[in-house]
Amino acid sequence: MSPRDSSESTCLGPGCDNPVKQTKVGRRRVYCCDQCGTRYRRSSRPTADNTAFAMASLDDLYRLTAQFDLSGAAPQRDLALIPAVEKAWNDIKTAVVLQSRESRVKTQVIAQALHISPSTLTRMMDGAPARRDRRLSSGQIPAQPRSQRHPASGPARPRWPEGGTGDMDGAAPGCGPAATLASALSHLHRRSSATYRTLGTEVGVDPSYISRAVSGERIPSWPVTRKLALALDADPEEILPLWRAARGYTLADSTDVQAVLRGLRTAAAHPDIETLARRARLSADQITLALTGPVLPDWETTRAIATALHGQHELIRPVWNAARAAAISGPATGGSTCTISAGAFG
């Protein structure tokens, strides 16, 4: 052992200022007693993110329950969903118990609230940190296939030679609707300069959950997404089509093509009209009318703008078809109008 001087230092235990006398040999001490040593080691551990665990479990519960049919047409599919729903629900209970322990709630009180015995609670919490870490781990294998909603990470987004805000335009890392939603939220966050802590307080969720939503690691529920859009000074109606596509819902029942195009523009870092016109090879007036005008743009114009904004044709085409059908069936009731023939779509 290397020699040490016998000088004194101050104890690093939380709330303790007692001197620590060093010996001439051995490892240097940083606390004055075993109790301070325990407090020191506990304070140096990273804080468990139990709130993110709870929100991730709740998000999975929303996703799974939305898949139930319950009409009796596919009972086997509903049966297959039940174990995954039970697992998500048990993870929510585990997360709340962990939060209660963090708040120094006694085990007896927690057990009484859950109508179970303390020994049952102890058994239920065996391996709880490991379950939390598995759910929050990016390598977790979900109970149900979610490749379309949660694509794997891909290469960094390319820089376009012109346009936009100077940030990276286009889709978020990966591809597909989930990446498009993440790109829109990421652009809105950069534009606002708000911190995750501020957004978390305003939305009512943990800041780490906001971080996961903006980075594309998590697709939040619509109430959370709507509050986040409002907190970022965005129109929720423009984010809703992106969220529905990311969640795997059909967009055909939405007839607001302009809202979809504006959402894609946000996801592409909001390029200016002139830049977008050059990309789409259209005039600036055509772009403006397609985004905000009262007239439904024809399909060629819609496709050109969607392509310039890196949107997916198979997602926006059903929306355009539905809007066209509504315009044909009820223009007198205030529906949009379109100048091309009905045979040009479908």
Side-chain angles (χ1 to χ4, degrees):
M1 297 183 180
S2 59
R4 296 280 186 184
D5 58 42
S6 58
S7 61
E8 293 183 349
S9 60
T10 303
C11 178
L12 295 182
C16 180
D17 295 323
N18 292 333
V20 179
K21 187 175 182 180
Q22 303 295 333
T23 59
K24 293 185 178 180
V25 295
R27 188 168 53 186
R28 184 177 182 83
R29 294 174 57 85
V30 295
Y31 45 85
C32 63
C33 61
D34 291 340
Q35 290 80 3
C36 281
T38 300
R39 290 197 296 268
Y40 170 74
R41 288 188 293 272
R42 286 178 177 176
S43 65
S44 63
R45 296 173 184 170
T47 303
D49 200 349
N50 295 318
T51 300
F53 177 33
M55 295 303 299
S57 303
L58 182 61
D59 186 61
D60 273 357
L61 184 64
Y62 281 145
R63 176 185 59 82
L64 291 166
T65 54
Q67 297 179 30
F68 277 100
D69 186 344
L70 301 182
S71 66
Q76 290 183 336
R77 182 177 182 276
D78 291 341
L79 284 172
L81 285 170
I82 290 176
V85 170
E86 290 178 339
K87 182 179 183 301
W89 175 245
N90 288 332
D91 281 352
I92 291 175
K93 290 195 296 184
T94 300
V96 175
V97 172
L98 289 172
Q99 289 175 324
S100 301
R101 287 181 170 179
E102 278 187 343
S103 300
R104 300 292 190 270
V105 180
K106 293 183 178 180
T107 300
Q108 183 68 32
V109 175
I110 299 174
Q112 288 178 351
L114 296 177
H115 301 288
I116 59 178
S117 66
S119 59
T120 302
L121 176 63
T122 301
R123 289 194 300 269
M124 184 185 81
M125 297 304 292
D126 284 344
R131 293 197 297 275
R132 176 193 61 214
D133 295 342
R134 282 196 300 271
R135 183 170 288 279
L136 294 180
S137 172
S138 59
Q140 176 188 4
I141 301 176
Q144 294 292 323
R146 295 191 294 173
S147 57
Q148 181 183 7
R149 299 177 185 176
H150 297 269
S153 299
R157 291 173 285 176
R159 282 189 180 274
W160 287 82
E162 57 183 356
T165 60
D167 298 315
M168 291 183 293
D169 293 343
C175 59
T180 303
L181 173 64
S183 183
L185 295 178
S186 177
H187 166 67
L188 292 173
H189 175 248
R190 294 195 303 271
R191 186 186 67 179
S192 70
S193 299
T195 64
Y196 291 141
R197 184 179 297 276
T198 300
L199 292 174
T201 301
E202 190 165 350
V203 176
V205 298
D206 193 84
S208 64
Y209 192 76
I210 299 292
S211 174
R212 289 184 175 91
V214 171
S215 65
E217 296 177 25
R218 180 69 54 183
I219 302 178
S221 64
W222 173 242
V224 172
T225 305
R226 184 179 183 277
K227 291 179 182 179
L228 181 57
L230 292 173
L232 294 172
D233 296 324
D235 183 359
E237 293 304 315
E238 298 178 3
I239 303 300
L240 178 58
L242 305 183
W243 179 86
R244 288 180 61 85
R247 281 282 189 167
Y249 298 122
T250 177
L251 301 182
D253 55 348
S254 172
T255 58
D256 194 348
V257 175
Q258 284 85 353
V260 179
L261 291 176
R262 291 195 298 271
L264 291 176
R265 187 186 181 193
T266 300
H270 209 274
D272 56 64
I273 296 296
E274 290 74 16
T275 299
L276 186 54
R278 287 195 297 271
R279 291 182 186 174
R281 298 182 179 180
L282 298 170
S283 68
D285 289 341
Q286 285 178 298
I287 298 294
T288 302
L289 286 174
L291 294 175
T292 60
V295 178
L296 176 69
D298 60 52
W299 171 243
E300 293 304 321
T301 300
T302 303
R303 182 175 62 178
I305 297 175
T307 300
L309 294 173
H310 322 301
Q312 295 178 306
H313 297 163
E314 63 271 20
L315 294 179
I316 197 172
R317 186 60 185 262
V319 183
W320 186 90
N321 287 348
R324 171 61 177 164
I328 293 175
S329 62
T333 62
S336 302
T337 59
C338 184
T339 58
I340 63 174
S341 64
F345 73 98

